Amino acid sequence: MRHNSSSTSSSRLSLRQQALLTTAWIVAGLALLDLAFGWLCLSQGHLSMADRGSIVRYFDYGRSLQGKLVELLKERDSQGQGLAEAGWIRPAAADQPAAPGPGQDLLISVYGMSFAHHIAQAMVRQDPRLAIRTSGGPGAPLSQCVALFEADRGHHQARIQVLGVLASSLVGTVTMSHMTWNFDVPAACLYPRFTLDDGHLVRHEPPAMNLVQLRALTADPAGRLLLRSELLQNDAFFEPLVFEATLDGSVLVRMLRRAFCLSREAATTARLHDSGGFTNAMQLCDLAHALAARFVAQVRADGAVPVLLLIDDRGYADHLDRLMAPLAADPELLSFSTFELANPNDLGNFVSDGHFTVAVNERLAAALRTRIDQLLDRR
């Protein structure tokens, strides 16, 4: 006997009910995965970052900036401690030379990032008569390098003083912290934010000047609120949704947060730099000129010789050189660009992490050293 079609349909789930059931199973599965991976991350929370599993380290990329800062400030392994200590505005480390040593005839101070320091180290290998004094931070933008130079004034006898300017870091000039524009692997350091008021540079100090002050600041709710407020006001890359430690225990939230942050970083960077070069959004170009000119003027006032080291890295062609052309036109200023000797469009000039190869560093060091020797009539 054939059943009535209406009774048959009523015994089955409607398409809408099937869709809801499927969705419920998917949500339940995601929730279980979220809980499982969250437990895995929590179970390794006592380990240093280097000792955690690769999956845990991957999900840590999406942790909020507050969460990363907490982890960073309690790290004790060499990598974590380095990212906590590096880049703070202070005189060069005590182990840096303040004057030429025995057998040396020239001290050169260098303010910049690893690119600049690698070239400086190659110069010493090539000419042991040189003494090199370095100060810097990870990916240090121009503003941070100038602040490091100013903190180091009067602490040494360098006759040549080099300001490293990295093309890819120039956008960081409109920030106050490494962490806001380097979300994946942030350093803890804060540095001054410079702005222009009627053509004059105005320096805005960060709420913490060293690691001790930052630890004290972030340990107090009022301090964390102050840090958030200062970054919101003075850092163009700051985003509250990325900073706040909301639902940090959820790995799904971390993945969404990371995708959002990287997209926002790219969008902000695109406002400051496009295929045609650097733009003057947020006064970036004007700030770059003013900060470099400030360095040059202060070095000359101290009776030393300023050098602008313009570093063109991957993806930036000669955009930095064109931006700095008005200063480089000064016949008495040594402006040295890496473009001709290390074309940024040639991937063979770079290692996997984006730095120059050893051979390129040696080539650049030899050329810069020759220029300095010619300038000083040094043989």
Side-chain angles (χ1 to χ4, degrees):
M1 175 176 162
R2 182 174 297 177
H3 292 287
N4 185 287
S5 61
S6 62
S7 63
T8 301
S9 62
S10 63
S11 66
R12 298 174 183 172
L13 293 175
S14 68
L15 290 177
R16 183 170 180 271
Q17 289 172 323
Q18 291 180 41
L20 289 173
L21 183 60
T22 301
T23 301
W25 277 111
I26 292 174
V27 171
L30 288 174
L32 286 174
L33 286 173
D34 195 38
L35 287 172
F37 282 115
W39 175 86
L40 179 62
C41 293
L42 185 63
S43 69
Q44 297 188 17
H46 66 285
L47 300 175
S48 68
M49 193 57 65
D51 293 331
R52 297 177 190 180
S54 58
I55 293 179
V56 174
R57 291 198 302 271
Y58 172 78
F59 286 127
D60 191 71
Y61 282 126
R63 190 191 298 270
S64 68
L65 286 180
Q66 278 190 340
K68 288 181 179 181
L69 197 55
V70 169
E71 288 290 311
L72 189 59
L73 295 183
K74 74 179 183 182
E75 283 285 7
R76 289 297 178 268
D77 63 277
S78 58
Q79 179 185 6
Q81 195 64 15
L83 287 173
E85 292 280 2
W88 290 99
I89 306 305
R90 56 194 172 194
D95 61 353
Q96 296 294 310
Q104 299 173 329
D105 63 358
L106 180 64
L107 174 63
I108 300 176
S109 62
V110 180
Y111 306 95
M113 60 308 297
S114 52
F115 279 88
H117 294 174
H118 291 166
I119 295 171
Q121 291 159 5
M123 291 171 66
V124 173
R125 289 194 296 270
Q126 295 171 3
D127 186 352
R129 297 176 302 159
L130 292 176
I132 299 291
R133 179 183 179 89
T134 59
S135 182
L142 177 57
S143 53
Q144 185 179 11
C145 294
V146 170
L148 286 164
F149 152 72
E150 293 181 343
D152 202 38
R153 289 182 76 188
H155 293 271
H156 58 86
Q157 301 172 21
R159 188 176 175 192
I160 298 288
Q161 303 195 34
V162 179
L163 182 69
V165 187
L166 180 64
S168 61
S169 290
L170 194 69
V171 296
T173 302
V174 297
T175 69
M176 186 177 265
S177 171
H178 181 272
M179 71 181 84
T180 61
W181 62 293
N182 292 274
F183 177 74
D184 273 358
V185 187
C189 61
L190 305 174
Y191 40 80
R193 168 74 154 98
F194 291 89
T195 58
L196 285 168
D197 182 9
D198 195 24
H200 299 287
L201 282 169
V202 179
R203 176 170 167 155
H204 307 273
E205 299 295 345
M209 300 299 294
N210 54 54
L211 190 56
V212 173
Q213 291 182 6
L214 183 61
R215 281 199 173 103
L217 192 70
T218 55
D220 175 64
R224 291 193 294 271
L225 186 61
L226 174 62
L227 175 61
R228 181 188 186 282
S229 175
E230 288 292 326
L231 292 176
L232 183 61
Q233 181 178 351
N234 294 302
D235 195 305
F237 278 77
F238 179 77
E239 169 54 58
L241 290 177
V242 174
F243 182 79
E244 305 292 349
T246 305
L247 298 177
D248 241 359
S250 168
V251 295
L252 293 177
V253 170
R254 292 187 189 186
M255 293 174 67
L256 292 172
R257 181 189 288 120
R258 186 186 185 210
F260 169 75
C261 181
L262 295 182
S263 174
R264 188 178 184 281
E265 278 185 12
T268 304
T269 299
R271 289 184 58 198
L272 300 164
H273 176 265
D274 56 30
S275 59
F278 291 99
T279 75
N280 201 34
M282 304 175 222
Q283 299 181 306
L284 178 64
C285 297
D286 294 339
L287 280 169
H289 293 153
L291 285 166
R294 177 175 171 132
F295 166 79
V296 170
Q298 290 180 342
V299 172
R300 285 174 172 167
D302 293 341
V305 178
V307 175
L308 291 183
L309 173 56
L310 307 180
I311 305 168
D312 303 295
D313 53 339
R314 291 185 302 186
Y316 285 82
D318 65 342
H319 298 171
L320 179 63
D321 298 6
R322 289 194 275 118
L323 171 64
M324 292 298 190
L327 281 88
D330 182 348
E332 298 182 359
L333 174 65
L334 174 48
S335 179
F336 182 87
S337 167
T338 65
F339 184 80
E340 294 297 334
L341 295 175
N343 191 318
N345 297 320
D346 182 356
L347 297 183
N349 288 325
F350 302 89
V351 296
S352 59
D353 68 359
H355 287 94
F356 290 135
T357 65
V358 172
V360 168
N361 284 323
E362 293 289 337
R363 186 161 70 237
L364 293 170
L368 178 57
R369 186 169 50 83
T370 298
R371 292 280 302 278
I372 290 174
D373 287 347
Q374 292 172 343
L375 183 67
L376 300 181
D377 195 25
R378 178 176 175 269
R379 292 178 175 83

